[in-house]
Amino acid sequence: HKDLQTTSATIRSIITAIFAADNLSPQMQSILKVMTLLSDSGIDIHTFHKELNIPTKDDVNVLINTGWLQISGRDLSMHPVMLETVHAWDWTEVAINYATLFMSYLFRELKLEGRKEDYPQRLLSTIDLSVERFHKYPKLEKWFNQFTSKKGVLGETLRQRYEQSSDRTTTDR
């Protein structure tokens, strides 16, 4: 067990030295720290940017170009050895804020996924009618967006339910 800890510490120190982790910006370090919350299959890069509200793609591109992150198609991931190194870093305030945004995204996704097949026909009809009305009356859609933006996670869940209304299964309940 002690040999494994020594080996892990050695790998961390080598990688930290090679990649000069101390020279990474706090935002880049926070992006890496949040990536430790994911499996090795990663996440869609566009979803990652959107949900963490990252202003530009520059930091992620630098992390890809310097070997901290890897991209395959649209999937952004971190090599397990890199993950082990970053996992040992402390959680900073910026990283915690990013992680909170990411956890909110996961919560919304789990809530939506768990209810996909529980959409009663009446709810789907209401969503479809509302979407039609949004196209006909843009002020109604503007009001809906303002209303949901004030309701936090619940508002975001409702907005996503509308956005993903075509990916649903109906029940007769």
Side-chain angles (χ1 to χ4, degrees), residues 77-90:
S77 62
M78 183 182 289
H79 188 278
V81 175
M82 299 299 197
L83 190 139
E84 176 63 28
T85 300
V86 176
H87 186 72
W89 295 354
D90 290 333

Side-chain angles (χ1 to χ4, degrees), residues 34-44 68-72 74-84 102:
V34 171
M35 288 294 295
T36 66
L37 299 173
L38 299 169
S39 70
D40 59 355
S41 61
I43 187 170
D44 177 87
W68 281 102
L69 297 176
Q70 48 198 17
I71 187 98
S72 176
R74 290 175 37 163
D75 293 332
L76 184 67
S77 62
M78 183 182 289
H79 188 278
V81 175
M82 299 299 197
L83 190 139
E84 176 63 28
F102 185 70

Side-chain angles (χ1 to χ4, degrees), residues 5 12 20 48 55 64 77 79 86 91 107 113 128 167:
Q5 287 178 330
R12 268 197 299 277
F48 189 73
I64 291 168
S77 62
H79 188 278
V86 176
W91 281 94
F107 176 75
E113 188 64 32
D128 290 342
D167 302 336

Side-chain angles (χ1 to χ4, degrees), residues 1-154:
H1 185 351
K2 187 172 174 122
D3 288 339
L4 180 60
Q5 287 178 330
T6 304
T7 303
S8 292
T10 302
I11 290 171
R12 268 197 299 277
S13 65
I14 291 170
I15 290 174
T16 301
I18 291 173
F19 288 97
D22 294 339
N23 294 331
L24 296 174
S25 72
Q27 180 157 334
M28 285 187 220
Q29 290 177 2
S30 297
I31 289 168
L32 291 172
K33 191 66 177 172
V34 171
M35 288 294 295
T36 66
L37 299 173
L38 299 169
S39 70
D40 59 355
S41 61
I43 187 170
D44 177 87
I45 190 168
H46 302 294
T47 301
F48 189 73
H49 275 103
K50 178 183 169 210
E51 297 304 328
L52 266 57
N53 203 16
I54 300 172
T56 72
K57 296 183 176 158
D58 294 343
D59 288 337
V60 172
N61 286 333
V62 167
L63 293 169
I64 291 168
N65 291 334
T66 56
W68 281 102
L69 297 176
Q70 48 198 17
I71 187 98
S72 176
R74 290 175 37 163
D75 293 332
L76 184 67
S77 62
M78 183 182 289
H79 188 278
V81 175
M82 299 299 197
L83 190 139
E84 176 63 28
T85 300
V86 176
H87 186 72
W89 295 354
D90 290 333
W91 281 94
T92 64
E93 187 175 334
V94 175
I96 290 169
N97 289 337
Y98 276 161
T100 302
L101 290 171
F102 185 70
M103 292 299 177
S104 295
Y105 158 72
L106 289 178
F107 176 75
R108 288 190 316 271
E109 287 298 306
L110 288 170
K111 292 288 259 186
L112 288 172
E113 188 64 32
R115 294 186 175 155
K116 260 189 184 171
E117 58 238 20
D118 291 331
Y119 280 21
Q121 182 59 43
R122 186 172 182 160
L123 174 60
L124 295 176
S125 297
T126 302
I127 289 174
D128 290 342
L129 181 62
S130 297
V131 171
E132 286 176 27
R133 298 281 192 248
F134 290 167
H135 294 301
K136 192 172 182 180
Y137 305 105
K139 285 185 179 182
L140 183 60
E141 183 175 18
K142 183 179 177 183
W143 175 85
F144 175 80
N145 289 333
Q146 289 173 344
F147 174 80
T148 56
S149 69
K150 294 176 185 175
K151 297 298 179 184
V153 173
L154 294 176

